[in-house]
Each structure stands twice: as structure tokens, then as C-alpha cells.
Amino acid sequence: MNIPRSSFPRIVIIGGGFAGIALAKRLRNKKVQVVLLDKHNYHNFQPLMYQVATGGLEPDSIAYPIRKVVQEHKDFYFRLADVKEIDSINNKIIADIGELKYDYLVIATGSKTNFFGNKEMERNCMAMKTIPQSLNIRSLILENFEQALLTNDIDERHSLMNFVLVGGGPTGVELAGALAEMKKAILPKDYPDLDIRKMEINLIQSGDRILNTMSENASQKAEEFLIKLGVSVWKNVRVTGYDSRVVTTNSDLTFDSATVIWTAGVQGALVNGLNVHSLIARVDRIKVNAYNQVEGYDNIFAIGDIASMSLEEYPQGHPMMAQPAIQQGKHLSENLARLLDKKEMKPFVYKDKGSMATIGRNKAVVDLPHYHFSGVFAWYVWMFVHLFSLIGFKNKAVVFLNWVYNYVRFDREARLIIRPYKKKQIATFTTDEI
Amino acid sequence: MNIPRSSFPRIVIIGGGFAGIALAKRLRNKKVQVVLLDKHNYHNFQPLMYQVATGGLEPDSIAYPIRKVVQEHKDFYFRLADVKEIDSINNKIIADIGELKYDYLVIATGSKTNFFGNKEMERNCMAMKTIPQSLNIRSLILENFEQALLTNDIDERHSLMNFVLVGGGPTGVELAGALAEMKKAILPKDYPDLDIRKMEINLIQSGDRILNTMSENASQKAEEFLIKLGVSVWKNVRVTGYDSRVVTTNSDLTFDSATVIWTAGVQGALVNGLNVHSLIARVDRIKVNAYNQVEGYDNIFAIGDIASMSLEEYPQGHPMMAQPAIQQGKHLSENLARLLDKKEMKPFVYKDKGSMATIGRNKAVVDLPHYHFSGVFAWYVWMFVHLFSLIGFKNKAVVFLNWVYNYVRFDREARLIIRPYKKKQIATFTTDEI
């Protein structure tokens, strides 16, 4: 892979998400050579992806060039690469651009959409884990309305204007809220010759409350907000199939819909080659010890969504979101330094800073460790936290400007179909196709 | 096409570019029904497209939703449609989404890249007339550098870092300047393990001066600026072929290059069905009289790049740029009103407001009707004019913010490969593929 050996040990990091970037940034000026590999040349801020999908933000505002993050690091190499396999016996990884030896390997590949083996759903639903996927959703939403104008068939028009979101986690809830805001403020102006009141937004949750990783209070408030915005919230309903026309469920309930967005589950984005005993089957996460060391390996670590550290408070591993990933990345940088200094590593301790979700204009729910609140103030807190978590001054400024504009003008201007989305019709088209 | 007849005569406009939008905006509240058709749901500001291609701006900043432009118009319909044919005998157009009768038809389809029949060039060169094409160029430039890191073959690396721009008009010149700025300020920081000094930018012009539609002074200054930035300017050289590896010319000169961008010509984006006598063959423009009426038709008009009004000062028709298009669009709105009032139409008179081009940081050339100047002040004028020509407050603000940031930080942050560009290898892939 064309990377010269230096006098320092080489740490190879797979993945430039929250965990990988947090680690890479802190290895700067440490006595190591760092090679960061990612399939994309940018880091993206997943929590705001739903705003790209609904025309509130441009993709460039929430993405940041990885090379820029690490521009001033010495003995640092970034490569755009898709890692295919880990060869732990020979301490090397095998990627589409060649092979590379490592002294220490850190797997930070994150997660991908989990359809739980339902191939039909995988083929026909939209996922929203990558920027191209979000842009596809944006295009499809707008294309649906353009198409709805053209038909005289009431059923077809209904199907085009009926949106089904599967999964009541933060992504599903925030997307439902954003769609509802579009319905209220933008679409009636854009499509005066269409009866936008007929647009439906259905949020389907298999459990008995939405936002089930948050407090009861947050769930209840979020549901109230959504209902006020006109979203139909279906609880205790499990989607069983979608043939690109009709959504079936475990009850009599069905939905005729041209657009089903699946946010109901994630699984680790595994790389081949690790011992099967190191993996947790159903969710494809990697078992790690308290130092994020992969079970069964001395020099392989895993951090972020892909890693599952089983603790009393988190028997299934930490929640798959930004905070544990960032904290594990930071912590591992210290542990690696200790390891190289032949000192003992320190166990990772997760500081729960709380969680939050926004539902729409002036509406959010926030759970802090000892305090839960919702409403306008929560919404400001949500915006403030997200704004300041973005990397880079320019992204912050552009997002801020967009938000102020959208708020004052009740508008979202990024409703452009730059690349039309062609609905998948053939079975060989996978959801990762961009 | 599902559009109800109103009591007013129906004007169908094909194309939402500068001409079509200028016309549509001014038909607001006139006693007409307006139907605007475009292949895209956005209007785009072509003069800044090169900044999208070189990572300085996001596509959303220079594009604007057409529906938003005409949101408050009454008796106005927009349809996303690809018009295939004009059936002038039955006064209707035939599009991919159906047929539509018109009382008056306005063709404002603009222009597309002209490869002058060279199929090999068309297959292997990048064009830059649409936003997806600009994004493809952006992806390809960045992919080239990622790839250059991976090879030990000096020839291959040279080819990947050698950029050939064919055509010394404003687009070629501005693109060359932007690439040179990237070479100077950004690429050395992003690719510390690559010798960026070896990057080459070649601008090839068939005539004996670049910017040959501008003053001699502008041509000379622009060339000086480009040379100072390290661009090689080749005049009196005509490119004859490009097999995706080697560019051949009418002299001994050849270029090994992985990236050839063709900006050497445009032609009208014709719609089928008009009488052949109304057309100018080589450039595919439509002959119009002084009222923009298509020769041989009473109720069909053409405006903008597609229209060629032969006058003493402009025997080939007006220059194919924004100003004549906008002015013709405005003027036609008045003439249509006169026509409907059974008044006599007034001939179009073009007001030349001058032309300008920017070459890079602090460098531009401006030709006003009676005054030519260049340098820092010209650069401010260029920025001011372009900023204020953008539609919409938010686009203006975001572009301004980006420019200030890029200027102060010597940076361009939009260097993301959102959708990788797959190099065309097969003959069936046309340049319009997005």
C-alpha cells in the first residue's frame, strides 16, 4: 500500500467515523505512525443526516474532509480504501488497494442498517446511514410529489404521498418531525395544485413506546409533539414485509406506500477475518474487554458502534451512538500511549452525558443524567449541542445560517433533485449501492 | 399532462434557465396561464459552476428550486419533464410525461456541450454544463490524487496529476485558475506524501488568444495571471483526439492525462419538430426575428442561448451567455403582453453590460463597454456582480460566507467525494449520463 515504515510502531485505524477520528486526532505527535483507512474521504456527522434527507441542509455542511482533520499531523497517512479482511496471523489487513502490515490495529468501522435478514425489505426500503442514501431519500420525496401531480389515479397518488417510517428511535422520530414540517410549511406552497393535506406520515414502532432508549417522559412528550404535527404513531406494530407497494405488519394493518424508510435497526459493519468467538452474532458487534481490546487478540482493538464492551450497566454493550464512540476513541489514545510506554492500561469508563432528539420547530426532548425536559428550551439546547459538535468553523457557520434562515422563513431551500433516484426494481440492487 | 385550462391563453415555456426564469417571473399576474417545463427541478447559476467542480462551493448554493421562484404566481404550473418533440401543426408539445397543448410556445432550452461530432472526445472528456457533471469533475480530481498516492509508476502518477482543459473561454480560464489555486494552497497540505509541484495544468486554445470574446487587454492580462499561477497556456493548438490516455493535437504536441475537461464549444439544446429552415445547422440554434419569434411560426418564440437573432453587430446571434438570455426573457414578457393586447411588438435591443472572468485569488479581468480593467479591483467587481446575481437571500449569504472563509483561510472545504466518479470505459456511456 505504498506507505513507508518509520521508526515508530504503526497503528492502523479502519474507519473515520466518530471513534476513528477522535482516536486519530489524539495520536498526533505521539510516538506512533498512524494509518487511517476509510471508504470515504470525509467524516460525516450522522445526527444531522435527516436534515440532508429533508432538504434542510446540504451534504457538505455535515461532512468534513478527513485529510483536513489530520492535515498537520506528522507520520500520518490517510488512504481511501475498502478493507476486505484482517489477517491477524500475519498482522496485516487486506484492502481493495493492497495489503498493509500493522503493529496495532484499531477497528472503528461503525455500523450499518440492519434488516434482520429480511431481503425483501432490504431491497425495497430506503436506508439512511450514508450521505448518498440521504440524498436518495431527498430526491425520492421530491420525485414523489412531482409524480403525484401527473396521475389521475387516486390510489397511486395516495401511495406517492404516504410515507412510512419503520423504527421509532431518534432517526425515525427526527425524520418524521422534519417531514411533518415540510408538509406544513413548504409543500403547500410548492405544490399549490396538489392537496397536501392528504400527505400521510406514519411512524411504526415495534415496542410500546418511541425513543425507547430515552426516559418515559421523553417518549411521551415526543409522541405528543409528533401527533400535534399530524404524524400517525403506530406502537406495538411490527413490519413484516414490503413489496414496494404494500407494507404488511404482524396485525391487520397495512399501508399502501411508495416510500418506506427503514431506521429500525443497526448492526456492526464487520470486517472479515476475526475469530468467530470474538463476535456477537445477531448484531455483528465485536466483543472487547475494558481496554477495548478484541477478545482473543493482544494488538487488535475495536471502538465505537462496532465494539461491544459488556458491563453490568450495559450488558449488550454501550449504546450505538456518537458519545461512547468519541469517548472510547479518546480513551484508547491514552491506553495506546500507556501500552507503548509499557505501562498498565486503564479500563474505559463511559460518562453518560445524556441524549436528546428534536421533533420539529421549537420541539425537542432532552434527557440529562439527572434532569429531563422538553419543549422550546430543549430545542435550543439540541441546536446548540449539535452546532458545536460539528467539525470546522465553516460547517458551524453555514449550518447556523441555514437554521436561522429556515426558522425565520419557514423554509428549506435545499430541495433540489440533483441526481434523480431510480427506484430499485431488480433484486440484485443492494441498499449500499450509491 | 393534467393541467386544467383556464380562461387565459396558455404560454408553455420549455427550460428554466436564465431566459426561461426571467420570462416566467415577469408573466406573474399577467392575463396568461404559464406552464414551465424543465428536466430539473432547479435553476442553476452556470457562471459559478466551476467553483462546484473545484470544491469551493456546494451545488445547493448555486442552484435554486424553480418551484420557489414561482411560488406565489397564480395560474402557474411547473412540471418536471423532458420535452421530446414540438408538434406545431397541432400546437402541442410531446414530453416524457405526456402531451400538452399551447397557445404560445417559448423555447428556452439553452445550450449543451458541443464536441463538434468527435465521438471519441465526447466519450472520454469531462464536460461541465450541468451540476452532476461538475460534481463528477470534483470527484474525479480528488480520486486522481488518492490514486496517485497508490502507484509507483511514474508515468501513471504523472498522467493522474496532469490536467488538460480544452477551450480558453471564460469557463476554461476560470477552471484553470481555480485548479491552480488548489495546487498552491490546498493540495500540498492534503497530500503531504505527494509531490504536488509535479501537478500540471494545461489550458489549450485553438485561437491565438484566450478569452477571445473579450478585449485584447483582458486576454493578455488573463494569460499573464494564469502563467503567474503556473498554468501552461497553449495557443493556436487544436485538440484532435483523446483515447482516455493521450491527448493528440494538430501539432506534434501530445499530453498524457487522465483528466481532460472540454469547455471548447456549446451548441443549442434543440427540441425536435421545428422546420429545418428555422435552424442553423452547425451550432443547432434557432433563427428568430427581432421579436424572438421563430422564423416560420407565429406563436413559437425562442430566447437565450438557443435563439439566434442575426443583427449587424451580431451576425451569428448574440453571445451565448447570461445577459442576452435574461434581457430577451424580460423583453419577451412585454412583447407577449403587447401581442395579447393586440398591440405591436417591439424589437429586442441588447444592452451590452460588459463581460468578466476571474482567474484566481485577487485576479480578474473586466470589460465594461467603454472601460477595461483588471487586477484586485476587477476581482471585487467580479465577486460583487456574481453574488448579487444569485437568486435568493440564502444562496447569496452562503456563497458570501464561503468566499470569505476560503479567502481568509486559503481553503476550499467542499472537497468531498460524495458519489465517486467511475471513469467511462464503454462506448455506450454518453456524457449526459448522471
Side-chain angles (χ1 to χ4, degrees):
Chain A
M1 211 184 276
N2 227 1
I3 292 170
R5 273 286 185 183
S6 74
S7 52
F8 298 132
R10 177 187 287 167
I11 299 176
V12 173
I13 306 172
I14 314 176
F18 285 117
I21 289 287
L23 170 62
K25 275 166 81 172
R26 276 159 198 85
L27 291 177
R28 179 182 177 180
N29 302 330
K30 291 225 160 70
K31 290 182 177 164
V32 290
Q33 179 183 65
V34 179
V35 182
L36 177 60
L37 307 169
D38 197 290
K39 276 190 281 192
H40 300 288
N41 78 335
Y42 54 87
H43 165 80
N44 77 62
F45 191 72
Q46 289 225 14
L48 291 180
M49 203 103 88
Y50 78 96
Q51 297 211 1
V52 171
T54 52
L57 290 176
E58 295 97 1
D60 301 64
S61 315
I62 66 160
Y64 197 82
I66 291 178
R67 290 196 174 278
K68 199 171 147 64
V69 181
V70 293
Q71 229 173 29
E72 279 148 37
H73 292 211
K74 278 174 204 143
D75 211 353
F76 190 101
Y77 297 85
F78 171 75
R79 288 292 180 274
L80 194 63
D82 190 2
V83 177
K84 302 290 186 191
E85 205 179 327
I86 297 164
D87 176 356
S88 61
I89 297 182
N90 298 303
N91 287 329
K92 68 178 183 185
I93 56 106
I94 299 150
D96 57 346
I97 59 165
E99 303 186 356
L100 186 70
K101 285 255 184 194
Y102 59 80
D103 297 310
Y104 297 94
L105 178 66
V106 181
I107 305 169
T109 45
S111 55
K112 58 182 186 179
T113 306
N114 191 350
F115 290 94
F116 305 107
N118 189 330
K119 289 286 169 202
E120 190 201 47
M121 298 295 293
E122 184 168 345
R123 199 162 54 238
N124 297 320
C125 293
M126 310 290 289
M128 204 185 69
K129 279 292 282 182
T130 68
I131 288 186
Q133 285 173 346
S134 308
L135 289 171
N136 283 343
I137 291 177
R138 181 205 282 189
S139 290
L140 182 61
I141 293 171
L142 297 166
E143 282 165 47
N144 282 345
F145 286 98
E146 296 295 338
Q147 193 112 41
L149 283 172
L150 302 179
T151 180
N152 285 319
D153 179 334
I154 291 179
D155 291 339
E156 193 192 341
R157 195 185 303 143
H158 170 254
S159 165
L160 288 164
M161 294 171 67
N162 190 12
F163 294 82
V164 175
L165 314 179
V166 188
T171 309
V173 167
E174 295 187 330
L175 198 53
L179 277 172
E181 293 288 356
M182 280 182 88
K183 177 182 173 181
K184 220 168 70 176
I186 292 158
L187 296 170
K189 279 191 270 174
D190 263 9
Y191 299 93
D193 38 341
L194 210 56
D195 185 357
I196 296 293
R197 288 170 304 180
K198 298 216 168 112
M199 173 181 175
E200 278 182 38
I201 305 157
N202 294 288
L203 180 68
I204 304 180
Q205 164 71 329
S206 58
D208 60 357
R209 60 183 180 106
I210 58 171
L211 298 180
N212 61 13
T213 55
M214 293 184 67
S215 66
E216 291 269 4
N217 178 59
S219 300
Q220 203 185 318
K221 277 290 173 190
E223 190 174 335
E224 275 171 35
F225 288 149
L226 283 175
I227 290 169
K228 205 178 276 176
L229 279 168
V231 174
S232 305
V233 181
W234 306 90
K235 292 179 295 189
N236 295 309
V237 173
R238 194 177 291 276
V239 169
T240 52
Y242 176 52
D243 61 0
S244 90
R245 290 171 174 273
V246 180
V247 180
T248 54
T249 67
N250 61 346
S251 71
D252 285 347
L253 200 65
T254 59
F255 301 86
D256 289 350
S257 171
T259 320
V260 179
I261 303 175
W262 179 268
T263 67
V266 288
Q267 66 191 111
L270 276 186
V271 180
N272 289 331
L274 288 182
N275 191 316
V276 70
H277 302 299
S278 316
L279 309 177
I280 305 172
R282 209 179 53 88
V283 290
D284 282 356
R285 292 175 87 179
I286 301 173
K287 291 182 206 164
V288 295
N289 65 18
Y291 315 107
N292 282 97
Q293 223 161 5
V294 176
E295 272 193 29
Y297 302 90
D298 283 337
N299 62 344
I300 304 183
F301 297 80
I303 50 178
D305 283 2
I306 188 77
S308 175
M309 188 185 293
S310 178
L311 301 166
E312 211 172 313
E313 318 92 273
Y314 302 101
Q316 315 283 335
H318 295 101
M320 292 163 89
M321 43 189 225
Q323 270 304 318
I326 294 168
Q327 292 180 27
Q328 287 179 5
K330 287 185 190 177
H331 188 78
L332 183 57
S333 72
E334 289 159 28
N335 268 342
L336 284 171
R338 285 191 196 97
L339 198 67
L340 294 170
D341 284 349
K342 311 234 183 303
K343 286 182 195 157
E344 212 161 292
M345 294 192 288
K346 286 188 181 168
F348 172 72
V349 180
Y350 175 51
K351 277 192 212 80
D352 183 2
K353 295 188 174 173
S355 51
M356 52 183 80
T358 180
I359 292 92
R361 198 178 177 79
N362 294 336
K363 295 180 189 71
V365 290
V366 175
D367 283 357
L368 296 183
H370 303 290
Y371 181 48
H372 305 157
F373 58 106
S374 60
V376 181
F377 180 65
W379 189 66
Y380 281 108
V381 171
W382 180 93
M383 282 201 298
F384 184 83
V385 167
H386 282 79
L387 203 56
F388 282 83
S389 307
L390 280 168
I391 303 184
F393 168 76
K394 208 212 65 187
N395 281 3
K396 285 189 184 67
V398 169
V399 169
F400 180 69
L401 200 147
N402 271 289
W403 284 353
V404 170
Y405 180 85
N406 295 351
Y407 187 75
V408 175
R409 299 290 297 265
F410 289 81
D411 205 350
R412 290 162 177 257
E413 279 197 355
R415 45 187 195 277
L416 315 171
I417 308 173
I418 299 270
R419 307 205 193 224
Y421 176 70
K422 300 206 175 52
K423 266 215 109 171
K424 300 164 250 182
Q425 294 298 1
I426 37 164
T428 50
F429 204 126
T430 75
T431 46
D432 272 319
E433 195 99 22
I434 49 174
Chain B
M1 209 185 276
N2 226 2
I3 292 170
R5 272 284 184 182
S6 74
S7 54
F8 296 133
R10 178 186 285 165
I11 298 176
V12 173
I13 305 171
I14 313 176
F18 285 116
I21 290 287
L23 170 62
K25 277 165 82 172
R26 277 160 196 85
L27 291 177
R28 178 181 177 181
N29 302 330
K30 291 225 161 72
K31 289 180 178 166
V32 289
Q33 179 183 66
V34 179
V35 182
L36 177 61
L37 307 169
D38 197 292
K39 276 192 281 192
H40 301 288
N41 77 335
Y42 53 86
H43 165 79
N44 77 62
F45 191 73
Q46 288 222 15
L48 291 179
M49 204 103 89
Y50 79 96
Q51 297 211 1
V52 171
T54 51
L57 290 176
E58 296 95 2
D60 302 65
S61 316
I62 66 159
Y64 198 82
I66 291 178
R67 289 196 173 280
K68 200 169 145 63
V69 181
V70 292
Q71 232 172 28
E72 280 148 36
H73 292 211
K74 278 173 205 143
D75 211 354
F76 190 102
Y77 297 84
F78 171 76
R79 288 293 181 273
L80 195 63
D82 190 1
V83 177
K84 303 290 185 191
E85 205 178 326
I86 297 164
D87 175 357
S88 61
I89 297 180
N90 299 300
N91 285 328
K92 69 179 184 185
I93 57 106
I94 299 151
D96 56 346
I97 60 166
E99 303 186 354
L100 187 69
K101 285 255 183 194
Y102 59 80
D103 296 312
Y104 297 94
L105 177 67
V106 182
I107 306 169
T109 45
S111 55
K112 57 182 187 180
T113 305
N114 191 351
F115 290 95
F116 304 106
N118 189 330
K119 290 286 168 201
E120 189 201 48
M121 298 295 294
E122 185 167 346
R123 201 161 53 239
N124 297 320
C125 292
M126 310 290 291
M128 204 184 70
K129 277 293 282 183
T130 69
I131 287 186
Q133 286 173 345
S134 307
L135 289 171
N136 284 343
I137 291 176
R138 181 206 284 189
S139 290
L140 182 61
I141 293 171
L142 296 165
E143 283 165 47
N144 282 345
F145 285 99
E146 295 295 338
Q147 194 111 41
L149 283 172
L150 302 178
T151 181
N152 285 320
D153 180 331
I154 291 179
D155 290 338
E156 192 190 343
R157 197 184 302 141
H158 170 254
S159 164
L160 288 164
M161 294 171 68
N162 189 12
F163 294 82
V164 175
L165 314 179
V166 188
T171 308
V173 166
E174 295 187 330
L175 198 54
L179 277 171
E181 293 288 354
M182 280 182 88
K183 176 180 175 183
K184 219 167 72 173
I186 292 159
L187 297 169
K189 279 191 269 175
D190 262 9
Y191 299 93
D193 38 343
L194 211 54
D195 186 355
I196 297 293
R197 289 170 302 180
K198 299 219 166 109
M199 174 181 174
E200 277 181 39
I201 305 158
N202 294 288
L203 180 67
I204 304 180
Q205 166 71 330
S206 57
D208 61 357
R209 62 183 181 107
I210 59 172
L211 298 180
N212 61 13
T213 55
M214 293 184 67
S215 66
E216 292 269 3
N217 177 59
S219 300
Q220 202 185 319
K221 277 289 172 188
E223 189 175 335
E224 273 171 34
F225 289 148
L226 284 175
I227 290 168
K228 205 178 274 177
L229 279 168
V231 174
S232 306
V233 181
W234 306 90
K235 292 178 294 188
N236 295 311
V237 173
R238 193 177 291 275
V239 170
T240 51
Y242 175 53
D243 61 0
S244 90
R245 292 173 173 273
V246 180
V247 179
T248 53
T249 66
N250 61 345
S251 71
D252 284 348
L253 200 66
T254 60
F255 301 87
D256 289 351
S257 170
T259 320
V260 178
I261 303 174
W262 178 270
T263 67
V266 287
Q267 66 190 114
L270 274 188
V271 181
N272 289 331
L274 288 181
N275 191 316
V276 71
H277 302 298
S278 315
L279 309 176
I280 304 173
R282 210 179 52 89
V283 290
D284 281 356
R285 291 175 88 178
I286 301 172
K287 292 182 207 163
V288 295
N289 64 18
Y291 314 107
N292 281 98
Q293 222 161 5
V294 176
E295 273 194 25
Y297 302 89
D298 283 337
N299 63 343
I300 304 182
F301 296 81
I303 51 178
D305 282 3
I306 188 76
S308 176
M309 188 185 293
S310 178
L311 301 166
E312 210 172 313
E313 320 91 274
Y314 302 103
Q316 315 284 334
H318 296 101
M320 292 164 90
M321 44 189 228
Q323 270 305 318
I326 294 169
Q327 292 180 27
Q328 287 179 5
K330 286 185 191 176
H331 188 78
L332 183 58
S333 72
E334 290 159 29
N335 268 342
L336 284 171
R338 283 193 198 98
L339 198 64
L340 294 170
D341 286 348
K342 311 236 184 303
K343 287 182 194 155
E344 213 162 291
M345 294 193 290
K346 286 188 180 167
F348 173 72
V349 180
Y350 175 50
K351 276 192 213 79
D352 184 3
K353 294 188 176 175
S355 53
M356 51 183 81
T358 179
I359 292 92
R361 197 180 180 79
N362 295 336
K363 296 180 188 70
V365 290
V366 174
D367 282 358
L368 295 184
H370 303 289
Y371 181 48
H372 305 155
F373 59 107
S374 61
V376 181
F377 181 65
W379 189 66
Y380 281 108
V381 170
W382 180 93
M383 284 202 296
F384 184 83
V385 167
H386 283 78
L387 203 56
F388 282 83
S389 306
L390 280 167
I391 301 185
F393 168 76
K394 208 211 64 189
N395 282 2
K396 286 187 181 68
V398 169
V399 168
F400 180 70
L401 201 147
N402 271 289
W403 283 354
V404 170
Y405 180 86
N406 296 349
Y407 186 77
V408 175
R409 300 291 298 267
F410 288 82
D411 204 352
R412 290 163 176 256
E413 279 197 355
R415 45 187 193 276
L416 315 170
I417 308 173
I418 300 271
R419 308 206 193 220
Y421 177 72
K422 301 203 174 54
K423 266 216 110 174
K424 299 164 255 182
Q425 295 297 1
I426 38 167
T428 51
F429 205 126
T430 74
T431 44
D432 272 319
E433 196 101 21
I434 47 173

